[in-house]
Amino acid sequence: MTILEQWRAKAYDEKADKGKLQALWTDYFRCEKGIYEKLLAEPDKAVKGTVDELAEKFGISQEYMVGFLDGINDSLKKANPIETMEPDTKVSLAFDKEKLYKNMVAAGADWLYKLPQWNDIYTEEERKKLYLEQKKSGTVKKGPKVYPNDPCPCGSGKKYKKCCGKANW
């Protein structure tokens, strides 16, 4: 069983005691926040090492480290081999700042995208812009409703009900 499988089995165990699971996630989020505070303090510094070395550097277990790597992987400049990670797998935490901020917003992790370290990376105006871009990216806009007697949107000149809307009637 890989470290990622071990982490997921523990963190997403539906049969586990709810109190223990809540305690696990509370502790994990505390550790995660601490790592992000350190990474965002020096956002252009490439943090690299093995899974074991990074876990030791940040003072967390290998499982927490792989959980963290799983969460940040979509925000990295180059993705890590999450599914096959072992303690000696070399990884990089070089992240794309914009992607990371937007992914934090998408995850609803306000305790992360509101970290004070972001103030040194982006102005308040830039953060608002990135926040809105992310929120709008998930919004589906519907076109205007076409009624049966309206001209068909395909441009045929026929009424919608006699053209593309025929299958609906």
Side-chain angles (χ1 to χ4, degrees), residues 16 33 45 47 54 61 76 79 122 127 137 139-140 155 166-167:
K33 183 179 177 187
K45 182 180 176 186
V47 177
L54 292 178
S61 68
L76 299 177
Y122 292 120
R127 289 191 313 274
S137 71
T139 304
V140 177
K166 208 171 193 175

Side-chain angles (χ1 to χ4, degrees), residues 20 34 38 40 46 53 57 63 71 82 102 123 138 143 161:
K20 287 182 181 178
K38 291 174 185 170
L40 293 172
E53 290 168 347
K57 175 183 176 135
E63 285 179 354
I82 287 294
K102 287 181 174 182
T123 64
K161 68 181 180 186

Side-chain angles (χ1 to χ4, degrees), residues 22 40 48 52 57 59 62 82 90 104 110 129:
Q22 181 65 37
L40 293 172
K48 295 179 180 181
D52 192 40
K57 175 183 176 135
Q62 290 176 2
I82 287 294
K90 291 186 180 189
M104 288 175 170
D110 60 340
K129 180 181 171 247

Side-chain angles (χ1 to χ4, degrees), residues 114-143:
K114 289 183 179 178
L115 285 170
Q117 288 81 357
W118 283 111
N119 298 340
D120 297 331
I121 299 170
Y122 292 120
T123 64
E124 185 178 348
E125 213 173 84
E126 290 170 322
R127 289 191 313 274
K128 283 182 182 178
K129 180 181 171 247
L130 292 172
Y131 180 90
L132 289 174
E133 282 176 12
Q134 176 56 42
K135 289 295 187 181
K136 287 180 181 177
S137 71
T139 304
V140 177
K141 291 186 178 181
K142 290 185 177 180

Side-chain angles (χ1 to χ4, degrees), residues 91-108:
V91 295
S92 170
L93 296 179
F95 57 91
D96 178 305
K97 293 177 277 224
E98 187 174 312
K99 267 189 191 175
L100 180 61
Y101 188 83
K102 287 181 174 182
N103 286 338
M104 288 175 170
V105 170

Side-chain angles (χ1 to χ4, degrees), residues 3-169:
I3 303 171
L4 181 63
E5 290 170 334
Q6 292 170 25
W7 163 249
R8 288 180 177 167
K10 187 183 290 184
Y12 301 104
D13 184 2
E14 293 179 11
K15 297 174 187 165
D17 176 83
K18 300 297 178 202
K20 287 182 181 178
L21 203 54
Q22 181 65 37
L24 171 87
W25 279 105
T26 300
D27 187 48
Y28 171 78
F29 288 141
R30 180 188 54 77
C31 294
E32 178 187 47
K33 183 179 177 187
I35 296 171
Y36 278 121
E37 287 170 340
K38 291 174 185 170
L39 291 177
L40 293 172
E42 298 180 89
D44 297 317
K45 182 180 176 186
V47 177
K48 295 179 180 181
T50 64
V51 172
D52 192 40
E53 290 168 347
L54 292 178
E56 191 175 313
K57 175 183 176 135
F58 293 112
I60 60 174
S61 68
Q62 290 176 2
E63 285 179 354
Y64 274 22
M65 190 69 232
V66 171
F68 178 83
L69 290 165
D70 188 24
I72 196 174
N73 213 34
D74 289 340
S75 304
L76 299 177
K77 292 178 181 176
K78 183 181 177 207
N80 289 311
I82 287 294
E83 300 294 332
T84 58
M85 281 195 186
E86 295 297 330
D88 61 346
T89 303
K90 291 186 180 189
V91 295
S92 170
L93 296 179
F95 57 91
D96 178 305
K97 293 177 277 224
E98 187 174 312
K99 267 189 191 175
L100 180 61
Y101 188 83
K102 287 181 174 182
N103 286 338
M104 288 175 170
V105 170
D110 60 340
W111 67 94
L112 297 177
Y113 68 79
K114 289 183 179 178
L115 285 170
Q117 288 81 357
W118 283 111
N119 298 340
D120 297 331
I121 299 170
Y122 292 120
T123 64
E124 185 178 348
E125 213 173 84
E126 290 170 322
R127 289 191 313 274
K128 283 182 182 178
K129 180 181 171 247
L130 292 172
Y131 180 90
L132 289 174
E133 282 176 12
Q134 176 56 42
K135 289 295 187 181
K136 287 180 181 177
S137 71
T139 304
V140 177
K141 291 186 178 181
K142 290 185 177 180
K145 177 142 175 72
V146 181
Y147 293 94
N149 288 322
D150 288 347
C152 190
C154 76
S156 67
K158 297 179 182 178
K159 288 185 178 185
Y160 179 67
K161 68 181 180 186
K162 297 282 186 181
C163 190
C164 294
K166 208 171 193 175
N168 297 331
W169 292 96

